[in-house]
Amino acid sequence: MELMAISIILSSFLKNRSQSVVVDGVSSAQVKVESGVPQGRVLGPMLFLLHFNDLPDCVSSRVRLFADDCLLYRPIYETSDQQALQKDLDSLAVWCNRCGMSFNAAKCEVMRMSRKKAVLRKIYTINEQAVQEVNKARYLGVIISSNLQWSAHVSTTTKKANSTLGFL
């Protein structure tokens, strides 16, 4: 009986939702929401973690899941490590298909973190779409750079603080 009640609650939380946009006090027409979870609710990240809980089991790389973020990483020392990472990305695509999900390759990024001048290069793909390579990325509010320096994070934080100070 308890499982049935939980199922009904989750179903009502996720189904029959619509949304509109308000600009300058004018609302757009309501549009049915087909997927996703309502943003800003405690239940959203919990459902994400429950749904993605077995994702780390399908790859050999390390995985970090937090709220609605998924991070996959592994050290790359030789081409076999590159092949293993691509195999893991392919395994994630299979996992997604099995679970009725998909990764948007356009929202995924690859970052090589090293202090070495010469690093192994490879174009990684998700569902046969190339994943963009970046030199810095934000993770849990911290800007991490490929050269492992803090200057990008400090610069961004300083600009934000100066903007706030100017506003005051």
Side-chain angles (χ1 to χ4, degrees):
M1 186 64 176
E2 290 178 7
L3 189 57
M4 179 68 97
I6 291 170
S7 177
I8 291 170
I9 291 169
L10 288 177
S11 180
S12 67
F13 180 69
L14 297 173
K15 292 185 177 179
N16 300 321
R17 295 181 292 126
S18 62
Q19 67 182 20
S20 67
V21 177
V22 178
V23 177
D24 293 330
V26 179
S27 296
S28 70
Q30 294 280 326
V31 177
K32 187 176 179 181
V33 178
E34 303 280 334
S35 65
V37 296
Q39 298 294 306
R41 306 289 198 284
V42 174
L43 196 52
M46 183 181 293
L47 289 174
F48 171 86
L49 291 174
L50 288 172
H51 191 74
F52 278 69
N53 194 41
D54 68 334
L55 182 142
D57 298 337
C58 74
V59 296
S60 62
S61 297
R62 294 183 179 168
V63 177
R64 295 291 178 254
L65 300 173
F66 183 79
D68 62 351
D69 283 338
C70 176
L71 179 77
L72 179 78
Y73 65 97
R74 80 178 301 123
I76 305 291
Y77 299 110
E78 52 193 39
T79 56
S80 63
D81 297 323
Q82 292 175 314
Q83 293 165 350
L85 181 55
Q86 182 59 60
K87 182 180 176 189
D88 285 344
L89 293 173
D90 296 339
S91 294
L92 288 179
V94 170
W95 178 89
C96 284
N97 287 335
R98 188 182 75 229
C99 295
M101 304 281 295
S102 64
F103 280 107
N104 183 348
K107 290 185 176 182
C108 298
E109 301 171 331
V110 170
M111 184 168 62
R112 292 170 175 83
M113 299 171 66
S114 177
R115 292 184 188 258
K116 295 179 180 179
K117 296 218 185 254
V119 294
L120 292 174
R121 297 277 177 203
K122 176 178 178 16
I123 296 174
Y124 296 98
T125 61
I126 296 178
N127 291 326
E128 299 179 14
Q129 288 185 308
V131 179
Q132 177 188 8
E133 183 176 344
V134 297
N135 291 322
K136 61 183 176 180
R138 182 179 297 272
Y139 183 64
L140 301 180
V142 177
I143 297 174
I144 302 169
S145 64
S146 59
N147 64 3
L148 304 176
Q149 298 293 317
W150 287 102
S151 56
H153 180 74
V154 170
S155 175
T156 301
T157 304
T158 303
K159 284 179 188 173
K160 188 174 178 181
N162 283 334
S163 176
T164 303
L165 182 61
F167 178 74
L168 292 176

